[in-house]
Amino acid sequence: MKKTVPLLLAMFSAVLFSCGRKNDPTPSRDGDATWKLGANTYVRGASSRTSTPAPADGVITGIAVTTSGDGGNYGAFSGSTVTITFYNHGEGQYTLGTTEMSVANPTRNIIVIDCTIGTAVSTGAVLYGYSAAGTATVTKDKDGQYHVSLPATTLTKKVEVGGGIPGAKATYELTLTNVY
């Protein structure tokens, strides 16, 4: 339980800061951040990053990225947020996993990636998370910001909020391109 608390704090901090912050004033010079869940492509509107020391386990980095405005104008699927947490071992390849896997193995390159859809509407939302193994690439730009890319990897429906989204599938493929 002691190891879970810092990781959960980093995750919740990233989500909280992303919800109350406007677009970063300095856009990335490394291209736009996009992600695709199923057939819908979402574009970064705002993001927040935090790195928190974890007692005896290094540093935990959390990134939350969200759409803005109509969130792609996909009806009930409009708006999306991606949350990413990992024990920060620098740039490189990270294996997709769960929070429990990450906490149990703080010295390994495990990354937790979740994607919520329906965040730009008030009719319901769905959180998708780890389903199958995948490998994400973590890079760092010249300003010191971490960027994450993930080839198409299957995520599974984890939580429905406000009744969820009618017609939302149990699984979708998620692809991240330069998310930061």
Side-chain angles (χ1 to χ4, degrees):
M1 182 66 176
K2 281 185 177 181
K3 289 184 177 185
T4 306
V5 173
L7 185 59
L8 290 174
L9 287 174
M11 289 173 47
F12 291 128
S13 295
V15 171
L16 286 174
F17 288 116
S18 73
C19 294
R21 187 173 174 190
K22 295 185 187 253
N23 289 354
D24 284 342
T26 54
S28 170
R29 294 168 199 79
D30 299 316
D32 292 332
T34 61
W35 59 100
K36 184 175 182 181
L37 188 71
N40 301 328
T41 300
Y42 300 95
V43 178
R44 174 188 174 272
S47 63
S48 177
R49 290 153 304 282
T50 186
S51 290
T52 306
D57 292 329
V59 174
I60 298 170
T61 295
I63 303 169
V65 184
T66 189
T67 57
S68 60
D70 66 12
N73 198 22
Y74 299 122
F77 293 83
S78 295
S80 180
T81 299
V82 173
T83 56
I84 302 165
T85 55
F86 57 98
Y87 279 97
N88 192 335
H89 301 291
E91 296 180 284
Q93 299 296 307
Y94 284 72
T95 302
L96 191 61
T98 64
T99 300
E100 294 81 8
M101 292 166 69
S102 181
V103 170
N105 300 284
T107 59
R108 291 188 47 217
N109 285 6
I110 296 176
I111 193 164
V112 180
I113 300 175
D114 292 314
C115 183
T116 304
I117 54 172
T119 60
V121 295
S122 60
T123 54
V126 180
L127 169 71
Y128 288 85
Y130 176 79
S131 172
T135 303
T137 302
V138 175
T139 58
K140 197 174 191 180
D141 67 21
K142 60 185 169 192
D143 297 325
Q145 294 183 34
Y146 285 99
H147 296 243
V148 179
S149 295
L150 175 75
T153 303
T154 302
L155 297 187
T156 300
K157 186 185 293 187
K158 298 295 181 188
V159 178
E160 293 183 322
V161 177
I165 299 173
K169 295 180 181 179
T171 62
Y172 281 109
E173 281 196 346
L174 174 71
T175 303
L176 303 181
T177 305
N178 197 39
V179 171
Y180 66 99

